[in-house]
Amino acid sequence: MKTGIGIIGVGTVGSGVVEILESKIAYYKQELGLDLKIQQICAKTEDELSPYAQKGYAITTKVEDLFSNPDVSIVIELAGGYDLPLKWITAALNSKKHVVTANKALIAKYGHLLFPLAAKNNCHLLFEAAVGGGIPIIRALQESLTGNTVKSLRCIINGTCNYILTEMTEKGLGFASVLADAQKLGYAEADPTFDVDAIDSAHKLAILASLCSKKYINFENMHISGIREIEAVDIDSAKEMGYTLKLLGIFNQTEQGMDARVHPCLVPSNHLLASVSGVLNAVYIEANNLGPALFTGAGAGKLPTASAVVADVVSIARSMEVGLKPIPMGFYSQENPADLVPIESLFNKYYFRFTTRDEKGVLAAITSILSENGISIESIIQKNVKDPGHVNISVVTERCREAAVNNALLKIGALSSMSQHPKMIRFAE
Amino acid sequence: MKTGIGIIGVGTVGSGVVEILESKIAYYKQELGLDLKIQQICAKTEDELSPYAQKGYAITTKVEDLFSNPDVSIVIELAGGYDLPLKWITAALNSKKHVVTANKALIAKYGHLLFPLAAKNNCHLLFEAAVGGGIPIIRALQESLTGNTVKSLRCIINGTCNYILTEMTEKGLGFASVLADAQKLGYAEADPTFDVDAIDSAHKLAILASLCSKKYINFENMHISGIREIEAVDIDSAKEMGYTLKLLGIFNQTEQGMDARVHPCLVPSNHLLASVSGVLNAVYIEANNLGPALFTGAGAGKLPTASAVVADVVSIARSMEVGLKPIPMGFYSQENPADLVPIESLFNKYYFRFTTRDEKGVLAAITSILSENGISIESIIQKNVKDPGHVNISVVTERCREAAVNNALLKIGALSSMSQHPKMIRFAE
């Protein structure tokens, strides 16, 4: 039985998918008995498509052609964006085509519409490449860990941010200059908002957290903060304390409900996640039977991402042969939303940095506000800064409630001696 | 459709499997539509079985009862050993039962007989728990990485050895005292041979290397050396050079053939594998499309291992529903053996330690023997040792051929000034 493939988009990942399929199709036939064939390739312009037409592939600029093509059983969507792909995948599923996508934004935003539609049409909708690029974390959560409940998860799932933080840590540079370098090297987009403001991480965390919790977690309900405000001085303080600053996606199943959020974190430097540097991604889970486990590898890039897409295609082809039903994703729907615990109710250990004028009584004012809010201090360090007449006061708290921290920082920020807005970074638990 | 399970062995892992199945069976039914049931449990004695009989399970001390039981579709073998399990699994497969095992020794020794037999009977034979305990590395290699070729692999797959080396590294203790402690703590067996002499690691590496190479790799043809000879002084030297000593399983696809071996290695301390400490296991791969990736977690223990067994059972149950054929393991047979490159032909960087009497001309003799054998020296350090009149000479070589190293060490070992057999440890590439 021939399994026909239609591809939407021949940008970086799409061209990688064609490349891998071309090199592997003979092997899949011989070793796995699967007869895969790229039946049609779609892109916006004839120009993009011409190298594929030259190789003899059927091409089209009309995406609908794929859905009406009886020889196409699997549609691979690699175009990016939200709304067009939603329309396309809806049409593909309604035409009884199985779908593979690498589009995390789409799954995070519209997965709750698409998974029920896929189930209704008895179609597979696979998305291994959407989180962690080539790291097989989706299949691990869906299949390998069926004997476990994943109680908590910590992840580094944006290579751009991890690259920027690694460079800042290793070279002592500031955010802006590292970002500029990353843009030159192609590790950051011209408009880096999605990455550095942690929207991309939030999309991916929402998907992972939904798979762990078996509830639909809407990324719009999560606390999300990025790395724009991180300064070299905070990374240095972290180092001195034996911590490494990372942008983490965090998920916990708590007695109060699901806790899912993305923000910068201080990770103990001897923790496995602290060693994940540069553009690498990593997912660290704590499962009730397995205990802790870490998966790390390339989170982006042409061939790593394409290899995950191809694994999904092979998986669907194997299943199609015998009519294996998709792994139920029924939980991922609007009718089954997670109760997210508001971040204000959570308890954490915190690092604060207050930059103040070097005036009598400042330290006393700060410590008394913290004390009034029930925040106990674990350590406090005062250091002179370059700017004469100013000091940095670094505080590490014991475990306390975020709401109390917000109150205290509001009051401390209003003190007349403060020369900068107070900085706060949470410790990873 | 009810899927009946028969279990052989209710020791540590077997009791864990029952525990997890009991806690998850309702969930599998509700969420995955799978109706699993433990139909029969077999152990050597009525005594071991009595707690299960009390819970209402059908029990037996005759393993054949499972194979003739028409309600049993999946046999889980958790008894350990080689020859009886070979007999049992052969009988189970010939009775058209699917099989799940955690028995790495069995797969490494008899996989080339069992996989063809499973294929002949169109039965699944799954073994996720055999390597890396609960880490889902087998499924990753078989399914998630089908879009890749794994060109090389480095792994820490024996928790006992990794625990011993970690303790030696962190506490500066000797092998014998750490082993004794590990035995008291239950991290090492009374007879630690299988672990510390790396037989267990070799079994597991042979399985991983076979999956990567798509050839049958017989562990008996591999170079295997364990950690008995490791001394605190060598771990200290490694630390000074910025390296961490680990027992690694190594696999490479080279132009000369397959390279598979297990031995102690010096790993750069900033490499992810160097951070894998204590009883943790880890598998680090380099795949042609994905690039490098690391999987780490609990490599042993009741619930981690049992959770991997249960994931295999669930996978078979899903496949059975629709008649999904097992993933082809046709390559794992006597007719398809790998050509292993002899370790003597390989090139490596080496660390040597020579303990000699502090006599004139020793250093000159050593360096001239190395030079005669074409071995270039990267660094050399001479230090006094506790024993007065003796010195340690540590040498780090540039890349050279193992055969040349063997020649040189034989000649150096024969020098009259040598007070101990020369030590040699390879660097991880």
Side-chain angles (χ1 to χ4, degrees):
Chain A
M1 195 172 86
K2 217 177 263 303
T3 304
I5 298 164
I7 300 176
I8 308 174
V10 285
T12 310
V13 178
S15 63
V17 167
V18 175
E19 192 178 319
I20 295 179
L21 283 174
E22 284 174 348
S23 72
K24 285 273 189 181
I25 271 178
Y27 166 79
Y28 296 141
K29 190 158 185 180
Q30 195 194 323
E31 293 288 323
L32 305 176
L34 299 174
D35 200 359
L36 301 178
K37 193 183 170 196
I38 300 176
Q39 292 285 4
Q40 203 164 17
I41 300 179
C42 173
K44 260 191 228 157
T45 65
E46 299 276 353
D47 265 13
E48 288 175 86
L49 287 165
S50 85
Y52 299 95
Q54 279 166 29
K55 283 195 195 170
Y57 291 112
I59 58 160
T60 178
T61 55
K62 293 196 201 76
V63 71
E64 295 74 19
D65 290 350
L66 268 55
F67 314 143
S68 59
N69 185 337
D71 293 332
V72 169
S73 326
I74 303 175
V75 170
I76 306 178
E77 183 276 312
L78 299 167
Y82 296 106
D83 292 314
L84 282 175
L86 171 66
K87 218 179 88 185
W88 297 335
I89 294 183
T90 301
L93 292 170
N94 282 331
S95 311
K96 312 289 178 197
K97 310 292 187 198
H98 303 289
V99 174
V100 175
T101 179
N103 192 331
K104 57 264 183 176
L106 175 81
I107 297 288
K109 211 169 158 77
Y110 296 125
H112 62 293
L113 306 177
L114 291 172
F115 290 116
L117 187 66
K120 202 184 114 200
N121 286 291
N122 200 24
C123 285
H124 294 259
L125 168 55
L126 298 190
F127 53 100
E128 179 65 81
V131 184
I135 308 171
I137 184 64
I138 302 293
R139 191 173 313 266
L141 292 174
Q142 286 189 307
E143 298 190 43
S144 302
L145 299 175
T146 44
N148 283 278
T149 303
V150 178
K151 297 177 301 179
S152 82
L153 179 151
R154 309 274 175 273
C155 54
I156 295 172
I157 40 179
N158 183 279
T160 305
C161 286
N162 204 48
Y163 173 82
I164 291 174
L165 292 175
T166 303
E167 289 288 294
M168 288 177 74
T169 303
E170 289 178 359
K171 301 187 178 158
L173 298 170
F175 173 79
S177 76
V178 174
L179 173 61
D181 281 348
Q183 284 169 322
K184 268 183 230 149
L185 290 164
Y187 292 155
E189 308 271 346
D191 175 2
T193 307
F194 248 53
D195 293 317
V196 302
D197 292 339
I199 318 290
D200 175 71
S201 295
H203 288 154
K204 292 165 176 168
L205 180 72
I207 297 171
L208 294 179
S210 297
L211 289 172
C212 293
S213 65
K214 308 283 183 223
K215 297 267 180 190
Y216 162 50
I217 292 183
N218 185 338
F219 75 94
E220 287 173 356
N221 298 335
M222 293 174 4
H223 173 89
I224 305 169
S225 61
I227 63 167
R228 269 187 214 270
E229 309 291 319
I230 300 296
E231 292 179 46
V233 54
D234 301 313
I235 289 184
D236 284 347
S237 302
K239 262 195 220 173
E240 279 173 28
M241 297 185 287
Y243 287 80
T244 304
L245 204 148
K246 294 286 183 191
L247 178 69
L248 291 191
I250 294 177
F251 165 73
N252 294 302
Q253 306 213 24
T254 77
E255 281 174 20
Q256 287 74 49
M258 300 298 165
D259 163 24
R261 52 201 153 98
V262 179
H263 53 69
C265 264
L266 297 171
V267 179
S269 296
N270 61 359
H271 191 282
L272 279 166
L273 280 172
S275 324
V276 175
S277 53
V279 294
L280 277 184
N281 279 18
V283 180
Y284 178 85
I285 60 165
E286 300 246 6
N288 65 333
N289 294 316
L290 173 55
L294 180 91
F295 302 76
T296 180
K302 173 178 168 174
L303 292 176
T305 308
S307 77
V309 170
V310 170
D312 278 350
V313 170
V314 170
S315 164
I316 293 177
R318 283 190 74 227
S319 301
M320 278 174 59
E321 247 190 62
V322 290
L324 183 63
K325 283 178 291 183
I327 291 187
M329 290 287 291
F331 64 85
Y332 204 121
S333 86
Q334 243 160 336
E335 282 73 53
N336 187 36
D339 249 340
L340 283 189
V341 187
I343 197 163
E344 293 73 21
S345 322
L346 295 175
F347 284 74
N348 262 301
K349 199 172 140 175
Y350 295 85
Y351 158 87
F352 305 138
R353 175 170 54 80
F354 306 113
T355 305
T356 74
R357 282 196 299 281
D358 191 6
E359 292 170 352
K360 244 189 195 164
V362 184
L363 198 59
I366 289 173
T367 51
S368 73
I369 293 173
L370 292 175
S371 161
E372 281 160 22
N373 283 279
I375 298 170
S376 301
I377 295 172
E378 188 183 285
S379 70
I380 190 160
I381 297 169
Q382 178 170 330
K383 277 189 185 171
N384 292 331
V385 292
K386 273 187 216 151
D387 197 3
H390 289 75
V391 292
N392 268 344
I393 300 170
S394 303
V395 174
V396 173
T397 73
E398 294 184 356
R399 246 172 145 259
C400 58
R401 201 158 186 260
E402 178 110 353
V405 167
N406 291 345
N407 274 339
L409 293 187
L410 208 65
K411 283 194 186 144
I412 294 171
L415 292 174
S416 61
S417 320
M418 299 299 288
S419 38
Q420 198 187 323
H421 196 70
K423 279 287 156 73
M424 176 272 273
I425 306 173
R426 299 170 191 89
F427 283 77
E429 298 265 276
Chain B
M1 194 172 82
K2 217 178 260 303
T3 304
I5 297 164
I7 299 176
I8 307 174
V10 284
T12 309
V13 178
S15 64
V17 167
V18 175
E19 192 177 319
I20 295 178
L21 283 173
E22 284 174 347
S23 72
K24 284 274 188 178
I25 271 178
Y27 166 79
Y28 296 140
K29 189 156 185 180
Q30 196 193 323
E31 293 288 324
L32 305 177
L34 300 175
D35 201 358
L36 301 179
K37 193 182 169 194
I38 300 176
Q39 290 286 5
Q40 203 164 16
I41 300 179
C42 173
K44 262 192 232 161
T45 66
E46 298 276 354
D47 264 13
E48 287 176 87
L49 287 166
S50 86
Y52 299 95
Q54 280 166 29
K55 281 193 194 171
Y57 290 111
I59 59 161
T60 178
T61 55
K62 293 195 200 77
V63 71
E64 296 73 20
D65 290 351
L66 267 56
F67 313 144
S68 60
N69 185 337
D71 293 333
V72 168
S73 326
I74 303 175
V75 170
I76 305 178
E77 184 275 314
L78 299 167
Y82 297 106
D83 293 314
L84 281 175
L86 171 66
K87 217 179 89 184
W88 298 335
I89 295 183
T90 302
L93 293 170
N94 282 331
S95 311
K96 313 288 178 197
K97 310 293 187 197
H98 303 288
V99 174
V100 175
T101 179
N103 193 331
K104 56 262 180 179
L106 176 80
I107 297 288
K109 212 169 158 75
Y110 295 127
H112 61 294
L113 305 177
L114 292 171
F115 289 116
L117 187 67
K120 201 184 114 196
N121 286 291
N122 200 22
C123 284
H124 294 259
L125 167 56
L126 298 190
F127 53 100
E128 179 66 79
V131 184
I135 309 172
I137 183 64
I138 302 292
R139 192 175 311 267
L141 292 175
Q142 287 190 307
E143 299 190 43
S144 302
L145 299 174
T146 44
N148 283 277
T149 303
V150 178
K151 296 178 300 177
S152 82
L153 179 151
R154 308 275 174 274
C155 55
I156 295 172
I157 40 180
N158 183 279
T160 305
C161 288
N162 204 47
Y163 173 81
I164 291 174
L165 293 175
T166 303
E167 288 289 293
M168 288 176 73
T169 303
E170 288 177 359
K171 299 186 180 159
L173 298 170
F175 173 78
S177 74
V178 174
L179 173 62
D181 281 350
Q183 285 169 324
K184 269 184 227 149
L185 291 164
Y187 291 154
E189 309 272 344
D191 175 2
T193 307
F194 248 53
D195 294 317
V196 301
D197 293 338
I199 317 291
D200 176 72
S201 294
H203 288 153
K204 293 165 176 168
L205 179 71
I207 298 171
L208 294 179
S210 297
L211 289 172
C212 293
S213 66
K214 308 284 183 224
K215 297 268 181 190
Y216 162 50
I217 291 183
N218 185 338
F219 76 96
E220 287 172 357
N221 299 335
M222 293 174 2
H223 173 87
I224 305 170
S225 61
I227 64 168
R228 270 187 213 272
E229 309 291 320
I230 300 296
E231 292 179 46
V233 54
D234 302 312
I235 291 183
D236 284 347
S237 301
K239 262 195 217 172
E240 279 173 29
M241 297 184 287
Y243 286 80
T244 303
L245 203 148
K246 294 286 182 191
L247 178 69
L248 291 192
I250 294 178
F251 165 73
N252 294 302
Q253 306 211 25
T254 76
E255 281 174 20
Q256 288 73 47
M258 300 299 165
D259 162 25
R261 51 199 155 99
V262 180
H263 54 68
C265 265
L266 297 171
V267 179
S269 297
N270 63 358
H271 191 283
L272 280 166
L273 281 172
S275 323
V276 175
S277 52
V279 294
L280 277 185
N281 280 18
V283 180
Y284 179 85
I285 61 166
E286 300 245 7
N288 65 333
N289 294 315
L290 172 55
L294 180 92
F295 302 77
T296 179
K302 174 178 167 172
L303 293 175
T305 309
S307 78
V309 170
V310 170
D312 277 349
V313 170
V314 169
S315 164
I316 294 177
R318 285 191 73 227
S319 301
M320 279 174 58
E321 246 190 64
V322 290
L324 184 62
K325 284 178 292 186
I327 290 187
M329 290 286 291
F331 64 86
Y332 204 121
S333 86
Q334 244 160 334
E335 281 74 53
N336 188 36
D339 249 340
L340 282 190
V341 187
I343 196 160
E344 292 74 20
S345 321
L346 296 174
F347 284 74
N348 261 303
K349 198 173 142 175
Y350 295 85
Y351 158 86
F352 306 138
R353 175 170 54 81
F354 307 113
T355 303
T356 75
R357 283 197 297 283
D358 191 5
E359 292 170 354
K360 244 191 195 162
V362 183
L363 197 59
I366 290 174
T367 51
S368 73
I369 293 173
L370 292 175
S371 163
E372 282 159 24
N373 283 279
I375 299 170
S376 301
I377 294 172
E378 188 184 285
S379 69
I380 190 160
I381 297 168
Q382 178 170 329
K383 275 190 187 171
N384 292 330
V385 293
K386 272 187 217 147
D387 198 2
H390 289 74
V391 293
N392 269 341
I393 300 171
S394 303
V395 174
V396 172
T397 73
E398 294 186 356
R399 244 169 148 261
C400 57
R401 202 158 184 258
E402 179 110 353
V405 167
N406 290 346
N407 274 340
L409 293 187
L410 207 65
K411 284 195 184 144
I412 294 172
L415 292 174
S416 61
S417 321
M418 299 301 289
S419 38
Q420 199 186 321
H421 195 72
K423 279 289 156 70
M424 177 272 272
I425 305 174
R426 297 170 192 89
F427 283 78
E429 299 264 276

